[in-house]
C-alpha cells in the first residue's frame, strides 16, 4: 500500500510540496527565533524593581510589625479620649462629642477611629493565616470591649449620665484587658 500511494503522486509534485513545507517551516523558525531574541533583549534591558507591599491580608512576618506600628497610635489616642471622659466626673458633653464625631479631619481620639483601628490592631496578632480572626484572644477581647462601649454610647446619647458613669467603669476594665493582649500598657499609664 505505501508503494501505491507513492506511485500515485508524481515526483515533481512531491518536490514542490516538500519545498513549500520547508519554506513554511523555515519562515516559522525565523519568526519564532526573532520573537525570542526581541523578547530576550527587552527583558535583559529592563531593570527589575523590588516588590514593595505592606502584606495585605497575609499573616505573619513584617506585616504584623507594620500593622502594629500603623494602629498603635490611633488605639492609644482613642483609649486616652475614652478614659478622659471620667477624669474626675463623667463628662456628658465630651462623651457626646467622642461618640458623634465622624473623624472627618483625620483627628485621632474619636470612637469612630478607635473602633476601626482597635479591631485592625487586634487582628494583627494572628500567627497563622489559617486562624480565623474571631478565634484570636485579642479580637475576642476587642469585641467584648466594643459591646460594653455600645452600651455606654446608648446611655450617653439618651443622656443618662449616672448609668453612663457606671458603664464607663466596665468599659475601662474591658479596655485594659484588650490593651494587655495587644501589648500596650493599661489606659491609666498611656
Amino acid at each position: 500500500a505505501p508503494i501505491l500511494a507513492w506511485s500515485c503522486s508524481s515526483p515533481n509534485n512531491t518536490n514542490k510540496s516538500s519545498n513549500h513545507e520547508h519554506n513554511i517551516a523555515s519562515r516559522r523558525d525565523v519568526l519564532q527565533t526573532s520573537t525570542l531574541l526581541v523578547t530576550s533583549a527587552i527583558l535583559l534591558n529592563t531593570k527589575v524593581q523590588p516588590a514593595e507591599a505592606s502584606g495585605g491580608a497575609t499573616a505573619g512576618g513584617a506585616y504584623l510589625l507594620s500593622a502594629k506600628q500603623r494602629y498603635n497610635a490611633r488605639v492609644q489616642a482613642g483609649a486616652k479620649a475614652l478614659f478622659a471622659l471620667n477624669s474626675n466626673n463623667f463628662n456628658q458633653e465630651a462623651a457626646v462629642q467622642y461618640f458623634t464625631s465622624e473623624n472627618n479631619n483625620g483627628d485621632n481620639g474619636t470612637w469612630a477611629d478607635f473602633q476601626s483601628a482597635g479591631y485592625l490592631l487586634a487582628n494583627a496578632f494572628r500567627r497563622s493565616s489559617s486562624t480565623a480572626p474571631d478565634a484570636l484572644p485579642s479580637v475576642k477581647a476587642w469585641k467584648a470591649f466594643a459591646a460594653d462601649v455600645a452600651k455606654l454610647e446608648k446611655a450617653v446619647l439618651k443622656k443618662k449620665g449616672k448609668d453612663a458613669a457606671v458603664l464607663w467603669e466596665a468599659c475601662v476594665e474591658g479596655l485594659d484587658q484588650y490593651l494587655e493582649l495587644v501589648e500596650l500598657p493599661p489606659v491609666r499609664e498611656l
Side-chain angles (χ1 to χ4, degrees):
I3 297 172
L4 291 175
W6 186 79
S7 65
C8 290
S9 63
S10 71
N12 291 340
N13 286 346
T14 306
N15 287 339
K16 286 181 183 177
S17 160
S18 80
N19 283 342
H20 180 69
E21 288 175 8
H22 178 69
N23 286 341
I24 290 174
S26 178
R27 288 182 203 153
R28 195 174 296 141
D29 289 342
V30 168
L31 182 61
Q32 287 176 347
T33 303
S34 63
T35 302
L36 182 63
L37 289 173
V38 169
T39 304
S40 298
I42 290 171
L43 291 175
L44 289 174
N45 289 326
T46 303
K47 292 182 180 180
V48 177
Q49 298 293 328
E52 295 180 22
S54 68
T58 61
Y63 170 70
L64 292 178
L65 294 176
S66 62
K68 290 175 186 176
Q69 292 167 349
R70 278 194 304 259
Y71 303 124
N72 268 349
R74 291 170 55 195
V75 166
Q76 289 177 14
K80 286 178 189 176
L82 179 66
F83 187 70
L85 298 179
N86 197 29
S87 51
N88 293 327
N89 217 356
F90 189 77
N91 186 337
Q92 178 72 26
E93 287 180 31
V96 169
Q97 179 66 29
Y98 178 75
F99 287 115
T100 58
S101 175
E102 292 295 323
N103 196 31
N104 290 335
N105 300 336
D107 296 331
N108 294 332
T110 64
W111 174 239
D113 186 55
F114 185 23
Q115 194 170 17
S116 62
Y119 178 79
L120 292 169
L121 180 61
N123 195 23
F125 283 81
R126 288 172 52 181
R127 299 291 181 227
S128 167
S129 61
S130 63
T131 304
D134 289 342
L136 299 171
S138 57
V139 172
K140 289 178 182 178
W142 172 258
K143 287 187 173 189
F145 165 68
D148 288 341
V149 173
K151 293 174 191 171
L152 173 62
E153 182 178 14
K154 284 181 184 177
V156 165
L157 297 179
K158 289 183 179 181
K159 300 185 192 274
K160 296 183 177 182
K162 290 183 182 182
D163 292 344
V166 172
L167 291 168
W168 178 87
E169 289 292 334
C171 288
V172 170
E173 287 178 32
L175 177 58
D176 282 338
Q177 291 171 1
Y178 163 75
L179 291 174
E180 180 181 347
L181 290 170
V182 294
E183 301 172 357
L184 290 173
V187 69
R188 288 171 175 80
E189 296 176 16
L190 290 177

PDB file of all heavy atoms in Angstrom, residues 119-152:
ATOM      1  N   TYR A 119      -9.966  47.159  66.121  1.00  0.00           N
ATOM      2  CA  TYR A 119     -10.184  45.828  65.540  1.00  0.00           C
ATOM      3  C   TYR A 119      -9.008  45.420  64.660  1.00  0.00           C
ATOM      4  O   TYR A 119      -8.542  44.278  64.719  1.00  0.00           O
ATOM      5  CB  TYR A 119     -11.484  45.798  64.735  1.00  0.00           C
ATOM      6  CG  TYR A 119     -11.699  44.454  64.079  1.00  0.00           C
ATOM      7  CD1 TYR A 119     -12.173  43.379  64.809  1.00  0.00           C
ATOM      8  CD2 TYR A 119     -11.382  44.263  62.741  1.00  0.00           C
ATOM      9  CE1 TYR A 119     -12.346  42.130  64.225  1.00  0.00           C
ATOM     10  CE2 TYR A 119     -11.545  43.017  62.150  1.00  0.00           C
ATOM     11  CZ  TYR A 119     -12.029  41.963  62.890  1.00  0.00           C
ATOM     12  OH  TYR A 119     -12.187  40.729  62.311  1.00  0.00           O
ATOM     13  N   LEU A 120      -8.515  46.344  63.859  1.00  0.00           N
ATOM     14  CA  LEU A 120      -7.395  46.019  62.975  1.00  0.00           C
ATOM     15  C   LEU A 120      -6.135  45.671  63.774  1.00  0.00           C
ATOM     16  O   LEU A 120      -5.385  44.765  63.401  1.00  0.00           O
ATOM     17  CB  LEU A 120      -7.127  47.176  62.018  1.00  0.00           C
ATOM     18  CG  LEU A 120      -8.237  47.398  60.982  1.00  0.00           C
ATOM     19  CD1 LEU A 120      -8.022  48.721  60.245  1.00  0.00           C
ATOM     20  CD2 LEU A 120      -8.325  46.239  60.018  1.00  0.00           C
ATOM     21  N   LEU A 121      -5.904  46.374  64.859  1.00  0.00           N
ATOM     22  CA  LEU A 121      -4.752  46.045  65.701  1.00  0.00           C
ATOM     23  C   LEU A 121      -4.933  44.676  66.338  1.00  0.00           C
ATOM     24  O   LEU A 121      -3.997  43.876  66.375  1.00  0.00           O
ATOM     25  CB  LEU A 121      -4.538  47.111  66.777  1.00  0.00           C
ATOM     26  CG  LEU A 121      -3.354  46.864  67.717  1.00  0.00           C
ATOM     27  CD1 LEU A 121      -2.044  46.823  66.940  1.00  0.00           C
ATOM     28  CD2 LEU A 121      -3.297  47.931  68.796  1.00  0.00           C
ATOM     29  N   ALA A 122      -6.120  44.380  66.815  1.00  0.00           N
ATOM     30  CA  ALA A 122      -6.377  43.062  67.413  1.00  0.00           C
ATOM     31  C   ALA A 122      -6.143  41.958  66.383  1.00  0.00           C
ATOM     32  O   ALA A 122      -5.566  40.918  66.689  1.00  0.00           O
ATOM     33  CB  ALA A 122      -7.809  42.995  67.945  1.00  0.00           C
ATOM     34  N   ASN A 123      -6.542  42.191  65.166  1.00  0.00           N
ATOM     35  CA  ASN A 123      -6.381  41.208  64.092  1.00  0.00           C
ATOM     36  C   ASN A 123      -4.920  41.058  63.670  1.00  0.00           C
ATOM     37  O   ASN A 123      -4.533  40.035  63.114  1.00  0.00           O
ATOM     38  CB  ASN A 123      -7.244  41.598  62.890  1.00  0.00           C
ATOM     39  CG  ASN A 123      -7.398  40.470  61.910  1.00  0.00           C
ATOM     40  OD1 ASN A 123      -7.254  39.307  62.236  1.00  0.00           O
ATOM     41  ND2 ASN A 123      -7.683  40.828  60.684  1.00  0.00           N
ATOM     42  N   ALA A 124      -4.101  42.030  63.955  1.00  0.00           N
ATOM     43  CA  ALA A 124      -2.679  41.969  63.583  1.00  0.00           C
ATOM     44  C   ALA A 124      -1.905  40.970  64.425  1.00  0.00           C
ATOM     45  O   ALA A 124      -0.758  40.666  64.120  1.00  0.00           O
ATOM     46  CB  ALA A 124      -2.043  43.356  63.719  1.00  0.00           C
ATOM     47  N   PHE A 125      -2.522  40.429  65.452  1.00  0.00           N
ATOM     48  CA  PHE A 125      -1.841  39.470  66.311  1.00  0.00           C
ATOM     49  C   PHE A 125      -2.065  38.027  65.867  1.00  0.00           C
ATOM     50  O   PHE A 125      -1.902  37.096  66.637  1.00  0.00           O
ATOM     51  CB  PHE A 125      -2.258  39.682  67.774  1.00  0.00           C
ATOM     52  CG  PHE A 125      -1.569  40.860  68.374  1.00  0.00           C
ATOM     53  CD1 PHE A 125      -2.039  42.140  68.153  1.00  0.00           C
ATOM     54  CD2 PHE A 125      -0.408  40.704  69.109  1.00  0.00           C
ATOM     55  CE1 PHE A 125      -1.380  43.244  68.668  1.00  0.00           C
ATOM     56  CE2 PHE A 125       0.250  41.794  69.624  1.00  0.00           C
ATOM     57  CZ  PHE A 125      -0.229  43.062  69.405  1.00  0.00           C
ATOM     58  N   ARG A 126      -2.400  37.848  64.604  1.00  0.00           N
ATOM     59  CA  ARG A 126      -2.547  36.499  64.041  1.00  0.00           C
ATOM     60  C   ARG A 126      -1.165  35.908  63.841  1.00  0.00           C
ATOM     61  O   ARG A 126      -0.248  36.566  63.387  1.00  0.00           O
ATOM     62  CB  ARG A 126      -3.269  36.568  62.692  1.00  0.00           C
ATOM     63  CG  ARG A 126      -4.718  36.876  62.855  1.00  0.00           C
ATOM     64  CD  ARG A 126      -5.432  37.145  61.581  1.00  0.00           C
ATOM     65  NE  ARG A 126      -5.236  36.117  60.572  1.00  0.00           N
ATOM     66  CZ  ARG A 126      -5.769  36.170  59.373  1.00  0.00           C
ATOM     67  NH1 ARG A 126      -6.520  37.181  59.044  1.00  0.00           N
ATOM     68  NH2 ARG A 126      -5.556  35.228  58.504  1.00  0.00           N
ATOM     69  N   ARG A 127      -1.027  34.650  64.175  1.00  0.00           N
ATOM     70  CA  ARG A 127       0.244  33.947  63.986  1.00  0.00           C
ATOM     71  C   ARG A 127       0.197  33.033  62.773  1.00  0.00           C
ATOM     72  O   ARG A 127       1.213  32.526  62.339  1.00  0.00           O
ATOM     73  CB  ARG A 127       0.594  33.122  65.232  1.00  0.00           C
ATOM     74  CG  ARG A 127       0.748  33.959  66.477  1.00  0.00           C
ATOM     75  CD  ARG A 127       1.988  34.818  66.395  1.00  0.00           C
ATOM     76  NE  ARG A 127       2.131  35.607  67.611  1.00  0.00           N
ATOM     77  CZ  ARG A 127       2.398  36.887  67.611  1.00  0.00           C
ATOM     78  NH1 ARG A 127       2.549  37.532  66.482  1.00  0.00           N
ATOM     79  NH2 ARG A 127       2.523  37.540  68.732  1.00  0.00           N
ATOM     80  N   SER A 128      -0.997  32.826  62.233  1.00  0.00           N
ATOM     81  CA  SER A 128      -1.157  31.943  61.089  1.00  0.00           C
ATOM     82  C   SER A 128      -2.298  32.475  60.230  1.00  0.00           C
ATOM     83  O   SER A 128      -3.326  32.910  60.761  1.00  0.00           O
ATOM     84  CB  SER A 128      -1.480  30.531  61.564  1.00  0.00           C
ATOM     85  OG  SER A 128      -1.935  29.735  60.503  1.00  0.00           O
ATOM     86  N   SER A 129      -2.130  32.409  58.928  1.00  0.00           N
ATOM     87  CA  SER A 129      -3.177  32.900  58.037  1.00  0.00           C
ATOM     88  C   SER A 129      -4.398  31.989  58.063  1.00  0.00           C
ATOM     89  O   SER A 129      -5.467  32.383  57.617  1.00  0.00           O
ATOM     90  CB  SER A 129      -2.645  33.028  56.611  1.00  0.00           C
ATOM     91  OG  SER A 129      -2.230  31.770  56.139  1.00  0.00           O
ATOM     92  N   SER A 130      -4.244  30.784  58.587  1.00  0.00           N
ATOM     93  CA  SER A 130      -5.386  29.867  58.654  1.00  0.00           C
ATOM     94  C   SER A 130      -6.238  30.098  59.901  1.00  0.00           C
ATOM     95  O   SER A 130      -7.326  29.560  60.014  1.00  0.00           O
ATOM     96  CB  SER A 130      -4.905  28.410  58.606  1.00  0.00           C
ATOM     97  OG  SER A 130      -4.107  28.127  59.726  1.00  0.00           O
ATOM     98  N   THR A 131      -5.757  30.913  60.827  1.00  0.00           N
ATOM     99  CA  THR A 131      -6.515  31.211  62.042  1.00  0.00           C
ATOM    100  C   THR A 131      -7.567  32.270  61.731  1.00  0.00           C
ATOM    101  O   THR A 131      -7.250  33.342  61.223  1.00  0.00           O
ATOM    102  CB  THR A 131      -5.586  31.738  63.149  1.00  0.00           C
ATOM    103  OG1 THR A 131      -4.556  30.785  63.385  1.00  0.00           O
ATOM    104  CG2 THR A 131      -6.356  31.994  64.433  1.00  0.00           C
ATOM    105  N   ALA A 132      -8.799  31.959  62.038  1.00  0.00           N
ATOM    106  CA  ALA A 132      -9.878  32.930  61.828  1.00  0.00           C
ATOM    107  C   ALA A 132      -9.725  34.071  62.823  1.00  0.00           C
ATOM    108  O   ALA A 132      -9.378  33.840  63.986  1.00  0.00           O
ATOM    109  CB  ALA A 132     -11.226  32.251  62.015  1.00  0.00           C
ATOM    110  N   PRO A 133      -9.982  35.300  62.406  1.00  0.00           N
ATOM    111  CA  PRO A 133      -9.833  36.440  63.322  1.00  0.00           C
ATOM    112  C   PRO A 133     -10.665  36.300  64.601  1.00  0.00           C
ATOM    113  O   PRO A 133     -10.202  36.656  65.677  1.00  0.00           O
ATOM    114  CB  PRO A 133     -10.302  37.632  62.497  1.00  0.00           C
ATOM    115  CG  PRO A 133     -10.082  37.222  61.090  1.00  0.00           C
ATOM    116  CD  PRO A 133     -10.314  35.738  61.051  1.00  0.00           C
ATOM    117  N   ASP A 134     -11.873  35.762  64.482  1.00  0.00           N
ATOM    118  CA  ASP A 134     -12.733  35.643  65.664  1.00  0.00           C
ATOM    119  C   ASP A 134     -12.203  34.651  66.695  1.00  0.00           C
ATOM    120  O   ASP A 134     -12.667  34.629  67.823  1.00  0.00           O
ATOM    121  CB  ASP A 134     -14.148  35.248  65.249  1.00  0.00           C
ATOM    122  CG  ASP A 134     -14.865  36.386  64.545  1.00  0.00           C
ATOM    123  OD1 ASP A 134     -14.422  37.541  64.682  1.00  0.00           O
ATOM    124  OD2 ASP A 134     -15.860  36.120  63.852  1.00  0.00           O
ATOM    125  N   ALA A 135     -11.223  33.835  66.318  1.00  0.00           N
ATOM    126  CA  ALA A 135     -10.640  32.873  67.250  1.00  0.00           C
ATOM    127  C   ALA A 135      -9.487  33.475  68.055  1.00  0.00           C
ATOM    128  O   ALA A 135      -9.017  32.858  69.011  1.00  0.00           O
ATOM    129  CB  ALA A 135     -10.142  31.643  66.492  1.00  0.00           C
ATOM    130  N   LEU A 136      -9.054  34.660  67.700  1.00  0.00           N
ATOM    131  CA  LEU A 136      -7.927  35.292  68.389  1.00  0.00           C
ATOM    132  C   LEU A 136      -8.362  35.866  69.738  1.00  0.00           C
ATOM    133  O   LEU A 136      -9.407  36.526  69.826  1.00  0.00           O
ATOM    134  CB  LEU A 136      -7.353  36.424  67.538  1.00  0.00           C
ATOM    135  CG  LEU A 136      -6.798  36.043  66.186  1.00  0.00           C
ATOM    136  CD1 LEU A 136      -6.485  37.291  65.382  1.00  0.00           C
ATOM    137  CD2 LEU A 136      -5.554  35.207  66.354  1.00  0.00           C
ATOM    138  N   PRO A 137      -7.574  35.669  70.782  1.00  0.00           N
ATOM    139  CA  PRO A 137      -7.914  36.257  72.083  1.00  0.00           C
ATOM    140  C   PRO A 137      -8.025  37.783  72.014  1.00  0.00           C
ATOM    141  O   PRO A 137      -8.898  38.370  72.656  1.00  0.00           O
ATOM    142  CB  PRO A 137      -6.757  35.831  72.987  1.00  0.00           C
ATOM    143  CG  PRO A 137      -6.176  34.626  72.332  1.00  0.00           C
ATOM    144  CD  PRO A 137      -6.395  34.808  70.852  1.00  0.00           C
ATOM    145  N   SER A 138      -7.157  38.417  71.236  1.00  0.00           N
ATOM    146  CA  SER A 138      -7.200  39.879  71.141  1.00  0.00           C
ATOM    147  C   SER A 138      -8.487  40.358  70.471  1.00  0.00           C
ATOM    148  O   SER A 138      -9.067  41.367  70.879  1.00  0.00           O
ATOM    149  CB  SER A 138      -5.972  40.403  70.404  1.00  0.00           C
ATOM    150  OG  SER A 138      -5.879  39.811  69.122  1.00  0.00           O
ATOM    151  N   VAL A 139      -8.962  39.645  69.462  1.00  0.00           N
ATOM    152  CA  VAL A 139     -10.209  40.025  68.791  1.00  0.00           C
ATOM    153  C   VAL A 139     -11.402  39.768  69.711  1.00  0.00           C
ATOM    154  O   VAL A 139     -12.326  40.584  69.776  1.00  0.00           O
ATOM    155  CB  VAL A 139     -10.367  39.286  67.439  1.00  0.00           C
ATOM    156  CG1 VAL A 139     -11.741  39.517  66.836  1.00  0.00           C
ATOM    157  CG2 VAL A 139      -9.282  39.727  66.462  1.00  0.00           C
ATOM    158  N   LYS A 140     -11.369  38.665  70.439  1.00  0.00           N
ATOM    159  CA  LYS A 140     -12.441  38.381  71.397  1.00  0.00           C
ATOM    160  C   LYS A 140     -12.515  39.484  72.459  1.00  0.00           C
ATOM    161  O   LYS A 140     -13.607  39.950  72.811  1.00  0.00           O
ATOM    162  CB  LYS A 140     -12.224  37.023  72.064  1.00  0.00           C
ATOM    163  CG  LYS A 140     -12.469  35.848  71.139  1.00  0.00           C
ATOM    164  CD  LYS A 140     -12.195  34.542  71.851  1.00  0.00           C
ATOM    165  CE  LYS A 140     -12.386  33.352  70.935  1.00  0.00           C
ATOM    166  NZ  LYS A 140     -12.087  32.076  71.594  1.00  0.00           N
ATOM    167  N   ALA A 141     -11.355  39.896  72.956  1.00  0.00           N
ATOM    168  CA  ALA A 141     -11.321  40.968  73.960  1.00  0.00           C
ATOM    169  C   ALA A 141     -11.826  42.275  73.361  1.00  0.00           C
ATOM    170  O   ALA A 141     -12.545  43.030  74.023  1.00  0.00           O
ATOM    171  CB  ALA A 141      -9.907  41.140  74.510  1.00  0.00           C
ATOM    172  N   TRP A 142     -11.455  42.551  72.109  1.00  0.00           N
ATOM    173  CA  TRP A 142     -11.916  43.774  71.450  1.00  0.00           C
ATOM    174  C   TRP A 142     -13.430  43.767  71.320  1.00  0.00           C
ATOM    175  O   TRP A 142     -14.088  44.763  71.607  1.00  0.00           O
ATOM    176  CB  TRP A 142     -11.271  43.957  70.072  1.00  0.00           C
ATOM    177  CG  TRP A 142     -11.920  45.095  69.364  1.00  0.00           C
ATOM    178  CD1 TRP A 142     -12.852  45.030  68.378  1.00  0.00           C
ATOM    179  CD2 TRP A 142     -11.763  46.483  69.667  1.00  0.00           C
ATOM    180  NE1 TRP A 142     -13.271  46.286  68.040  1.00  0.00           N
ATOM    181  CE2 TRP A 142     -12.616  47.199  68.813  1.00  0.00           C
ATOM    182  CE3 TRP A 142     -10.987  47.187  70.577  1.00  0.00           C
ATOM    183  CZ2 TRP A 142     -12.711  48.580  68.833  1.00  0.00           C
ATOM    184  CZ3 TRP A 142     -11.076  48.577  70.595  1.00  0.00           C
ATOM    185  CH2 TRP A 142     -11.920  49.253  69.730  1.00  0.00           C
ATOM    186  N   LYS A 143     -13.992  42.644  70.889  1.00  0.00           N
ATOM    187  CA  LYS A 143     -15.440  42.572  70.687  1.00  0.00           C
ATOM    188  C   LYS A 143     -16.196  42.717  72.013  1.00  0.00           C
ATOM    189  O   LYS A 143     -17.246  43.373  72.051  1.00  0.00           O
ATOM    190  CB  LYS A 143     -15.811  41.271  69.968  1.00  0.00           C
ATOM    191  CG  LYS A 143     -15.417  41.307  68.501  1.00  0.00           C
ATOM    192  CD  LYS A 143     -15.924  40.098  67.762  1.00  0.00           C
ATOM    193  CE  LYS A 143     -15.657  40.282  66.279  1.00  0.00           C
ATOM    194  NZ  LYS A 143     -16.321  39.246  65.484  1.00  0.00           N
ATOM    195  N   ALA A 144     -15.668  42.137  73.078  1.00  0.00           N
ATOM    196  CA  ALA A 144     -16.298  42.295  74.395  1.00  0.00           C
ATOM    197  C   ALA A 144     -16.238  43.755  74.833  1.00  0.00           C
ATOM    198  O   ALA A 144     -17.237  44.308  75.330  1.00  0.00           O
ATOM    199  CB  ALA A 144     -15.612  41.390  75.414  1.00  0.00           C
ATOM    200  N   PHE A 145     -15.087  44.381  74.635  1.00  0.00           N
ATOM    201  CA  PHE A 145     -14.933  45.798  74.976  1.00  0.00           C
ATOM    202  C   PHE A 145     -15.874  46.657  74.131  1.00  0.00           C
ATOM    203  O   PHE A 145     -16.556  47.546  74.649  1.00  0.00           O
ATOM    204  CB  PHE A 145     -13.479  46.225  74.779  1.00  0.00           C
ATOM    205  CG  PHE A 145     -13.271  47.702  74.748  1.00  0.00           C
ATOM    206  CD1 PHE A 145     -13.459  48.471  75.885  1.00  0.00           C
ATOM    207  CD2 PHE A 145     -12.897  48.338  73.576  1.00  0.00           C
ATOM    208  CE1 PHE A 145     -13.272  49.853  75.854  1.00  0.00           C
ATOM    209  CE2 PHE A 145     -12.707  49.715  73.535  1.00  0.00           C
ATOM    210  CZ  PHE A 145     -12.904  50.467  74.682  1.00  0.00           C
ATOM    211  N   ALA A 146     -15.943  46.390  72.823  1.00  0.00           N
ATOM    212  CA  ALA A 146     -16.804  47.174  71.930  1.00  0.00           C
ATOM    213  C   ALA A 146     -18.275  47.028  72.314  1.00  0.00           C
ATOM    214  O   ALA A 146     -19.049  47.989  72.196  1.00  0.00           O
ATOM    215  CB  ALA A 146     -16.574  46.763  70.490  1.00  0.00           C
ATOM    216  N   ALA A 147     -18.665  45.847  72.793  1.00  0.00           N
ATOM    217  CA  ALA A 147     -20.050  45.658  73.246  1.00  0.00           C
ATOM    218  C   ALA A 147     -20.329  46.514  74.478  1.00  0.00           C
ATOM    219  O   ALA A 147     -21.412  47.118  74.594  1.00  0.00           O
ATOM    220  CB  ALA A 147     -20.306  44.177  73.550  1.00  0.00           C
ATOM    221  N   ASP A 148     -19.361  46.603  75.383  1.00  0.00           N
ATOM    222  CA  ASP A 148     -19.515  47.478  76.560  1.00  0.00           C
ATOM    223  C   ASP A 148     -19.601  48.944  76.135  1.00  0.00           C
ATOM    224  O   ASP A 148     -20.399  49.713  76.669  1.00  0.00           O
ATOM    225  CB  ASP A 148     -18.345  47.301  77.532  1.00  0.00           C
ATOM    226  CG  ASP A 148     -18.381  45.965  78.269  1.00  0.00           C
ATOM    227  OD1 ASP A 148     -19.449  45.330  78.313  1.00  0.00           O
ATOM    228  OD2 ASP A 148     -17.321  45.571  78.804  1.00  0.00           O
ATOM    229  N   VAL A 149     -18.794  49.322  75.167  1.00  0.00           N
ATOM    230  CA  VAL A 149     -18.811  50.706  74.691  1.00  0.00           C
ATOM    231  C   VAL A 149     -20.135  51.019  74.001  1.00  0.00           C
ATOM    232  O   VAL A 149     -20.658  52.134  74.124  1.00  0.00           O
ATOM    233  CB  VAL A 149     -17.602  50.993  73.760  1.00  0.00           C
ATOM    234  CG1 VAL A 149     -17.707  52.377  73.137  1.00  0.00           C
ATOM    235  CG2 VAL A 149     -16.303  50.866  74.532  1.00  0.00           C
ATOM    236  N   ALA A 150     -20.711  50.044  73.301  1.00  0.00           N
ATOM    237  CA  ALA A 150     -22.012  50.260  72.655  1.00  0.00           C
ATOM    238  C   ALA A 150     -23.083  50.570  73.701  1.00  0.00           C
ATOM    239  O   ALA A 150     -23.940  51.443  73.485  1.00  0.00           O
ATOM    240  CB  ALA A 150     -22.392  49.041  71.830  1.00  0.00           C
ATOM    241  N   LYS A 151     -23.020  49.893  74.839  1.00  0.00           N
ATOM    242  CA  LYS A 151     -23.965  50.175  75.937  1.00  0.00           C
ATOM    243  C   LYS A 151     -23.732  51.579  76.482  1.00  0.00           C
ATOM    244  O   LYS A 151     -24.673  52.323  76.759  1.00  0.00           O
ATOM    245  CB  LYS A 151     -23.805  49.147  77.051  1.00  0.00           C
ATOM    246  CG  LYS A 151     -24.221  47.752  76.662  1.00  0.00           C
ATOM    247  CD  LYS A 151     -23.879  46.763  77.778  1.00  0.00           C
ATOM    248  CE  LYS A 151     -24.034  45.328  77.318  1.00  0.00           C
ATOM    249  NZ  LYS A 151     -23.511  44.373  78.321  1.00  0.00           N
ATOM    250  N   LEU A 152     -22.456  51.928  76.639  1.00  0.00           N
ATOM    251  CA  LEU A 152     -22.116  53.269  77.116  1.00  0.00           C
ATOM    252  C   LEU A 152     -22.612  54.330  76.134  1.00  0.00           C
ATOM    253  O   LEU A 152     -23.186  55.337  76.538  1.00  0.00           O
ATOM    254  CB  LEU A 152     -20.598  53.394  77.315  1.00  0.00           C
ATOM    255  CG  LEU A 152     -20.059  54.783  77.657  1.00  0.00           C
ATOM    256  CD1 LEU A 152     -20.618  55.282  78.990  1.00  0.00           C
ATOM    257  CD2 LEU A 152     -18.530  54.761  77.686  1.00  0.00           C
TER     258      LEU A 152
END
